[in-house]
Amino acid sequence: MMNLIDTRNRHFITRCRQIMLDTPAGEPISRENVARRAAMSPAPCYYCTYEYALRMLRVLRHGRLPLRNDRRRAMFEEIDARVARLQELRPGTSLPTALAHVLAEGRASQYFISPATALSLAERLR
């Protein structure tokens, strides 16, 4: 799991750098703004293991998702929506198979990290 977090952090810092490079010269930009924009930008993947995602989707579909973290919950709800859409498009596709396709495809809508974590990671750019 730490490898996924390390990968997410590297991807996030790269995104922060890109935002800073894309900012027009002379336009002030704060680390907080960079962190916020990067956190809400699309991420290359979901940064969770297949086994964990499968377990969370099964629990979510039974209405017992134990996560108190709103961002993690939003991530699994997004994954579940994509899995359900795939299952509608391809009737007979099992949950494990559809999940494997969704995770392999990647392209999460955001990084699903807290503002504090985003700022902490953006601070590494100094």
Side-chain angles (χ1 to χ4, degrees), residues 62-120:
H62 285 94
R64 298 182 306 229
L65 190 64
L67 297 173
R68 289 184 208 82
N69 182 320
D70 290 341
R71 285 168 187 79
R72 297 294 286 178
R73 176 180 288 279
M75 181 180 78
F76 287 113
E77 287 173 349
E78 179 176 301
I79 293 170
D80 185 50
R82 289 181 64 189
V83 165
R85 195 168 333 123
L86 182 61
Q87 287 179 305
E88 281 179 18
L89 293 173
R90 297 181 191 165
T93 303
S94 68
L95 173 63
T97 301
L99 175 61
H101 285 293
V102 167
L103 293 180
E105 183 180 80
R107 297 188 336 248
S109 66
Q110 61 177 302
Y111 279 87
F112 296 104
I113 58 177
S114 71
T117 300
L119 183 56
S120 172

Side-chain angles (χ1 to χ4, degrees), residues 4-78:
L4 288 172
I5 292 171
D6 292 340
T7 301
R8 179 205 64 194
N9 293 350
R10 282 194 315 275
H11 288 169
F12 183 80
I13 289 169
T14 299
R15 182 66 186 128
C16 288
R17 284 189 180 112
Q18 189 61 52
I19 288 170
M20 292 171 74
L21 289 173
D22 291 345
T23 301
E27 183 178 315
I29 186 162
S30 67
R31 293 216 192 280
E32 293 83 3
N33 189 27
V34 169
R36 182 186 50 74
R37 287 176 53 194
M40 296 309 293
S41 66
C45 61
Y46 285 103
Y47 308 106
C48 67
T49 65
Y50 169 81
E51 292 81 11
Y52 184 65
L54 183 58
R55 189 175 73 211
M56 290 296 104
L57 289 190
R58 286 180 172 148
V59 172
L60 174 67
R61 288 181 172 197
H62 285 94
R64 298 182 306 229
L65 190 64
L67 297 173
R68 289 184 208 82
N69 182 320
D70 290 341
R71 285 168 187 79
R72 297 294 286 178
R73 176 180 288 279
M75 181 180 78
F76 287 113
E77 287 173 349
E78 179 176 301

